């Protein structure tokens, strides 16, 4: 982590926090960010697909309904890169009804179920054809953007102690963004924390 590229990325966050970010945004989690965005307190929000339907509610719960669009994550010189993850289904080796479990997974991942889930929740479908379906694109104009983001996404780094790795990154980035540590020190400390966690 202690590289010029990482330092440039973290410095970008530090500068963005100083110049553009509301104080509260530093500690917002996914749901907190969604609520702030929907109430009109954030101009930008990293959007998880489920947020699209909620932010477009016409019941008065969203001040931004019909007034926002989705774009790729920004990068230093154009679109950035998203990371993969999320829609995982598995069958335990100890399950008593493995065949029934497999049938249920096939049902959940089938086009009919994926279409129904998309319509009900705006969550990203796992069936590629739905990203190009004219009816779905009309209702969810973000689908072509999301399809491109998924096509260019990279897998998250593999780590046995994923929770500990996440906590280390969050802690050091928080310290850098809030000015508790200089960027270089935060990255040096992060590297020291990650070394034993990623050695397995």
């Amino acid at each position: 982590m202690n590289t010029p590229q990482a330092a440039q990325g973290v410095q970008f966050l530090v500068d963005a926090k100083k110049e553009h970010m509301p104080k509260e945004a530093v500690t917002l989690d996914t749901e907190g960010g969604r609520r702030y965005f929907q109430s009109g307190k954030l101009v930008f929000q990293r959007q998880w697909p489920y947020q699209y339907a909620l932010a477009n509610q016409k019941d008065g719960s969203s001040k931004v309904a019909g007034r926002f669009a989705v774009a790729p994550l920004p990068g230093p010189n154009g679109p950035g890169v998203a990371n993969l993850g999320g829609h995982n289904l598995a069958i335990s080796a100890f399950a008593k009804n493995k065949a029934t479990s497999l049938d249920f997974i096939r049902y959940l991942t089938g086009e009919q179920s994926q279409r129904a889930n998309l319509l009900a929740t705006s969550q990203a479908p796992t069936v590629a054809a739905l990203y190009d379906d004219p009816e779905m694109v009309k209702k969810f104009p973000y689908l072509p953007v999301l399809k491109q983001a998924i096509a260019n996404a990279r897998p998250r780094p593999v780590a046995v102690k994923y929770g500990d790795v996440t906590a280390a990154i969050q802690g050091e980035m928080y310290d850098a963004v809030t000015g508790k540590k200089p960027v270089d020190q935060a990255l040096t400390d992060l590297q020291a924390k990650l070394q034993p966690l990623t050695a397995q």
Side-chain angles (χ1 to χ4, degrees):
M1 291 304 303
N2 200 3
T3 65
Q5 295 87 346
Q8 182 181 9
V10 177
Q11 189 63 53
F12 176 83
L13 290 176
V14 170
D15 294 341
K17 192 263 181 194
K18 286 179 189 172
E19 299 169 19
H20 308 290
M21 207 182 286
K23 185 178 89 169
E24 300 84 0
V26 175
T27 57
L28 291 175
D29 60 8
T30 302
E31 270 300 287
R34 177 187 68 79
R35 286 192 298 272
Y36 258 61
F37 180 75
Q38 281 182 222
S39 66
K41 295 178 182 175
L42 291 177
V43 176
F44 299 106
Q45 163 68 12
R46 180 174 181 156
Q47 198 265 72
W48 302 99
Y50 83 93
Q51 295 176 354
Y52 189 89
L54 295 171
N56 262 321
Q57 287 292 330
K58 305 282 195 268
D59 61 3
S61 62
S62 176
K63 291 184 178 179
V64 298
R67 300 172 61 197
F68 69 93
V70 177
L73 286 172
N77 301 305
V81 177
N83 42 342
L84 295 171
H87 295 299
N88 303 315
L89 300 169
I91 301 170
S92 169
F94 305 102
K96 292 180 182 177
N97 301 304
K98 290 183 181 74
T100 302
S101 299
L102 181 57
D103 288 342
F104 185 59
I105 288 174
R106 286 183 176 136
Y107 165 77
L108 288 176
T109 57
E111 185 169 342
Q112 184 177 352
S113 293
Q114 289 293 300
R115 179 183 298 273
N117 189 52
L118 175 59
L119 287 168
T121 67
S122 76
Q123 290 186 0
T126 58
V127 175
L130 292 174
Y131 289 86
D132 301 315
D133 183 296
E135 178 190 352
M136 296 296 100
V137 172
K138 183 177 180 182
K139 185 161 178 63
F140 304 107
Y142 77 90
L143 285 173
V145 176
L146 182 57
K147 179 183 178 184
Q148 189 64 37
I150 292 170
N152 295 327
R154 295 186 188 150
R156 295 175 183 180
V158 177
V160 174
K161 297 181 178 178
Y162 189 81
D164 293 339
V165 168
T166 299
I169 293 170
Q170 287 174 340
E172 293 302 328
M173 293 306 95
Y174 178 84
D175 286 351
V177 169
T178 58
K180 290 184 178 180
K181 288 184 184 178
V183 170
D184 290 342
Q185 185 62 54
L187 288 171
T188 298
D189 293 348
L190 178 57
Q191 186 67 43
K193 288 179 181 179
L194 291 179
Q195 206 79 39
L197 292 174
T198 58
Q200 298 179 345

